[in-house]
């Protein structure tokens, strides 16, 4: 059985990020032939075209990690009903130069959590639009999770059976998409 590499991009630079915790819980719903990494985005400088030609090391590291991945999962909060600036910055770095756009044809899934009842739903629409323009193959459907203190159990797993089943379905659909798009 082929091993797949999934890059999980957490769209938060907060140490205690609830999205990082959700991402780690969701990674445990993947089948055993999936390896996961968490590319950093918090050390990327603000995109500046003047830096093209001699890109900072952190930028080269990030874009190489995305380029090498079979697929990308974005797990992000929502900032003012959009995607957090730290994530948009990382996406911008990956999108240039156009011929090296790392997002093109990349199977990508979007999830996220905030304490708000519809938290991340609107932000996810913005992200979907951006990734669509960049040519990513974004999994259809929506998965936005309201964060409550009891969302995760003491092991960091999804505590509620219904929420876990819902997210397992989302993960399973993404796995099917990745497998259908990538050769054995
Ligand atoms: C927020 N937050 C927020 N939440 C939400 O559901 N919708 C929103 O539009 C916003 N807007 C927003 C703007 C800014 C600038 C901040 C700092 C926060 C609250 C946000 O969901 C909360 O801080 C989460 O804890 C962020 O997730 P991480 O960083 O813990 O993963």
């Amino acid at each position: 059985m082929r091993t797949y590499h999934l890059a999980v991009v957490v769209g938060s630079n907060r140490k205690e990020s609830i999205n990082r915790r959700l991402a780690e819980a969701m990674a445990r719903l993947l089948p055993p032939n999936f390896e996961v990494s968490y590319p950093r985005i918090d050390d990327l400088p603000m995109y500046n075209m003047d830096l093209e030609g001699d890109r900072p090391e952190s930028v080269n590291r990030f874009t190489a990690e995305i380029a090498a991945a079979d697929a990308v999962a974005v797990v992000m909060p929502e900032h003012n009903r959009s995607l957090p600036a730290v994530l948009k910055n990382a996406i911008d770095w990956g999108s240039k130069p156009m011929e090296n756009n790392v997002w093109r044809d990349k199977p990508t899934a979007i999830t996220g959590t905030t304490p708000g009842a519809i938290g991340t739903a609107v932000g996810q629409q913005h992200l979907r639009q951006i990734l669509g323009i960049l040519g990513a193959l974004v999994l259809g459907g929506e998965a936005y999770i309201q964060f409550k203190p009891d969302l995760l159990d003491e092991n960091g797993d999804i505590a509620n059976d219904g929420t876990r089943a819902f997210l397992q379905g989302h993960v399973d659909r993404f796995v099917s998409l990745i497998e259908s798009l990538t050769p054995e």
Side-chain angles (χ1 to χ4, degrees):
M1 190 188 277
R2 177 190 158 157
T3 300
Y4 292 93
H5 186 87
L6 178 67
V8 178
V9 177
V10 176
S12 171
N13 51 6
R14 218 164 68 82
K15 280 197 191 71
E16 302 298 323
S17 166
I18 54 178
N19 283 276
R20 180 164 297 277
R21 290 166 60 195
L22 175 65
E24 289 169 357
M26 287 185 72
R28 290 197 283 275
L29 302 178
L30 286 162
N33 59 322
F34 273 70
E35 288 172 353
V36 172
S37 67
Y38 296 87
R40 280 186 75 173
I41 60 171
D42 62 323
D43 62 345
L44 303 177
M46 184 61 72
Y47 183 84
N48 183 340
M49 219 169 156
D50 292 343
L51 299 176
E52 294 292 7
D54 188 19
R55 288 188 147 206
E57 179 46 40
S58 59
V59 172
N60 289 333
R61 183 209 65 226
F62 174 73
T63 56
E65 283 177 293
I66 299 297
D70 294 302
V72 172
V74 178
V75 186
M76 64 160 204
E78 179 180 69
H79 281 181
N80 299 319
R81 296 279 180 252
S82 188
L83 62 162
V86 68
L87 175 62
K88 177 61 163 56
N89 185 50
I91 293 172
D92 286 347
W93 276 117
S95 71
K96 295 291 176 199
M98 215 160 66
E99 61 275 18
N100 295 339
N101 167 12
V102 296
W103 309 109
R104 187 181 302 120
D105 298 334
K106 191 69 74 180
T108 305
I110 304 172
T111 333
T113 187
T114 75
I118 61 156
T120 82
V122 180
Q124 288 189 22
Q125 290 299 322
H126 284 188
L127 176 60
R128 188 174 289 277
Q129 181 188 11
I130 293 162
L131 290 173
I133 291 161
L134 295 175
L137 304 172
V138 185
L139 182 70
E142 284 188 307
Y144 55 91
I145 303 297
Q146 183 175 21
F147 188 85
K148 293 181 182 162
D150 60 357
L151 176 68
L152 304 172
D153 65 21
E154 64 280 5
N155 299 317
D157 291 317
I158 293 154
N160 179 277
D161 287 345
T163 307
R164 191 170 57 252
F166 171 74
L167 286 173
Q168 185 70 65
H170 191 70
V171 168
D172 290 349
R173 285 181 57 240
F174 190 38
V175 167
S176 296
L177 176 73
I178 295 165
E179 288 175 344
S180 69
L181 290 170
T182 47
E184 276 298 311

